[in-house]
Amino acid sequence: MPLEFFLLLAAALFCIGIYGLVTSRNAVRVLMSVELLLNAVNLNLVSFSNYLDGANIRGQVFTVFVITVAAAEAAVGLAIILAIYRSRDTIDMEQFNLLKW
Amino acid sequence: MSQALESVQQASLSTVYWIPIYTLLSGMASVFWSPAGFRRTGPRPAGYINIVTAGVGFVHSLLALTAIWGEPAQEISVNWLTVSDLQLILPLEYSSQTIGAISTITGLNILAQLYAVGYLEMDWGWARFYASISLFEAGMCALALFNSLFFSYVILEILTLGTYLLVGIWFNQSLVVTGARDAFLTKRVGDLILLMAVVALWPLAGTWHYGDLATWADQASVAPLTLTLLGLALMSGPLGKCAQFPLHLWLDEAMEGPLPASILRNAVVVGTGAWVLIKVQPVLALSPVASAAVVWVGATTAVGATLVAIAQIDLKRALSYSVSAYMGLVFIAVGTGHTDTALLLMFTYAVSMALLVMSTGTIIWSNITQDVTQMGGVWARRPISGLAFLVGAAGLVGLPPLGGFWALLRLLTDLWTDHPLLVGVVLLVNALTTLSLARLFGLVFMGQPHAMMARSPEVLWPMVVPMTVLSGVVLHVPMILNQASALPDWAMLEKPFVLLLLWSCLLGGGIGGVLYIGKLTPRPIRLFWPQLQKAFANDLYTAEIYRGTIILAVNQVSRLVNWFDRIFVDGAVNGVGLATLFGGQTLKYNNTGAGQFYLLSIVIGVTLLILALAYPLLS
């Protein structure tokens, strides 16, 4: 199994994440798509570390950091969504277009 | 004693150039008495100082004339301006001719200004009137002295501006405003074409000095077409100035101005153009076409304008068309190369025409109307004005032994050998002018008084004195001419021409007398062909022709240019602004307010950037 397969899988996961990020109407699903993006990145880091940096595995250390930060980001993101929900009574992304032109 | 006189004469000769300067200064000084400047004491001193300076100028020029009489011409020159290789030299010529012209100008000016003291009795605007008329006097004296085409042009333009101001004195009258406008624009057009000739002459001749131009013209070898165009352009300046066909309407409309100014304009100002034409005659003579054009213009104007004059009912306009006609005769004389005859004609014409205008002015002053059909029957009560009119008329037409006779006789003698047809034109013009003047005399002084003339007192002395003095001058013109040895030898007198002139006068005067003094014909007289009479009365519809051709074309073109400017030029600049505005107004909808859309644009932007960076690697 060459490195490229892992990278292509990660890229596909990233694209699916982007698609979900841009098209979802539910704000929680947007956060979930962000998680998909971060996991695609993690996949990249792990496979690079495995194939190119087997001795020092610095990519895996990075991945640990990314997972940590992703958890924190999801917590803050959910808090923001709750804050919006309390004022506007909805988490539909299409209702959050007040800051236009 | 005689030695003292001689030194005074010499001194006045060497200071002749002061005359235009101090008339100009007195004109400027009269501005102090304008209503805004001198609120308490009224405008009269403005007139008095100008009359005094005109008198000083007249005496000065007479003294200088006695000094230069019979002497060769002197010339001094002043360096006006030197710019790289162009040197503008202002030459002044002191000759009996130029100083004689100055004497005529200043002399007529004193009389016209004294006349204005009476005529403008009830007028508050003396300051402007006398300032303008002194500007004219200064301009004409300078024109006589300046011996350079360039500076003649400068003076002609200043006089054009002066005409505008002088015709427009009473600017609260609408006809005055249009008349002043036409006088300025018509003369300006001629002057501008003259400027083309002035500029075109420099590379050809390398000089604007009249004497050097004549020398150059002696052995000039230039393409005939160039010379023709040059000659035609040189002609068109004087053509406008002298109110020749087709640029003659302004003189008719300039009769809206104050009458004392008309004295000067009819007598002298229209002569300024002829003066320049006489001076450039050597250059004109280089081109047969241009000379022929001068003769044709002159002959057409002379015949046409006298016919129009006969059909006028306005006393001032009837005389103004005779002005055009006599300037036409001057054009004929210049076109055929007889400049001395032209000068003689201008002199005899100027004094007679000034007298005619003065005489008719006294009638207008005390009878209000200018309509000759509302006049009549004042001969018994206004003998001085009537006699002055008769003297002026006799001096103008070829009635021996007065001045006009000698000038016309000389013109006929000059023309006979080469242009026998023009002899007929001159005789016809003479007969028609006599008819026209006899008609005016008959309508104004003879017959039954109209209600407008029921009480017609003779006017005040300031108008009568200049009129009678000028009558004396007109009666003495033959003696003046004799002194200047301008009269032909008695033995050399061409008897057929004398008889022809006499007969043409008697014929014209006789017809005019029978028609307008006799009681055989019903009044108002109808011509056998009413349309023709109407055409002449309306100046051959010149105003309509102007409106239908030049004015129409210029008007339409300016409308088109204005429209193009507003729509296309302004539109292009406004279009840029509008496009920017439109861009801003529409592109703002990119800010949808949806965060996901922003994310999408970031992703698209990054993708495109990566593609652009990776493109060299992929291919």
Side-chain angles (χ1 to χ4, degrees), chain A residues 24-84:
Chain A
S24 305
R25 292 183 63 174
N26 191 319
V28 178
R29 266 176 78 173
V30 173
L31 278 186
M32 289 160 72
S33 303
V34 173
E35 290 307 315
L36 280 187
L37 295 181
L38 289 167
N39 282 335
V41 171
N42 285 344
L43 209 50
N44 266 1
L45 288 170
V46 170
S47 34
F48 276 125
S49 132
N50 212 23
Y51 281 85
L52 303 178
D53 190 30
N56 290 330
I57 52 169
R58 278 168 289 202
Q60 298 190 14
V61 178
F62 283 155
T63 308
V64 171
F65 274 100
V66 170
I67 290 170
T68 318
V69 173
E73 177 251 297
V76 174
L78 283 171
I80 291 172
I81 288 171
L82 275 175
I84 295 176

Side-chain angles (χ1 to χ4, degrees), chain B residues 545-566:
Chain B
I545 293 172
Y546 284 0
R547 269 201 288 278
T549 53
I550 300 289
I551 296 176
L552 184 74
V554 173
N555 202 359
Q556 293 302 329
V557 169
S558 27
R559 277 169 198 276
L560 183 71
V561 170
N562 183 29
W563 175 81
F564 187 84
D565 184 50
R566 274 186 295 112

Side-chain angles (χ1 to χ4, degrees), chain B residues 165-184:
Chain B
L165 298 174
L166 200 49
V167 174
I169 287 272
W170 295 319
F171 51 77
N172 56 352
Q173 300 176 15
S174 56
L175 284 178
V176 165
V177 176
T178 54
R181 174 200 68 193
D182 291 353
F184 183 73

Side-chain angles (χ1 to χ4, degrees), chain B residues 29-52:
Chain B
S30 57
V31 172
F32 289 118
W33 284 275
S34 63
F38 223 82
R39 288 169 189 275
R40 283 172 186 270
T41 55
R44 300 189 75 92
Y48 302 150
I49 55 168
N50 279 294
I51 293 173
V52 168

Side-chain angles (χ1 to χ4, degrees), chain B residues 320-346:
Chain B
S320 82
Y321 281 100
S322 290
V323 172
S324 288
Y326 266 76
M327 283 294 127
L329 294 184
V330 173
F331 265 52
I332 292 179
V334 177
T336 51
H338 302 288
T339 52
D340 287 343
T341 312
L343 282 173
L344 178 66
L345 190 59
M346 275 168 67

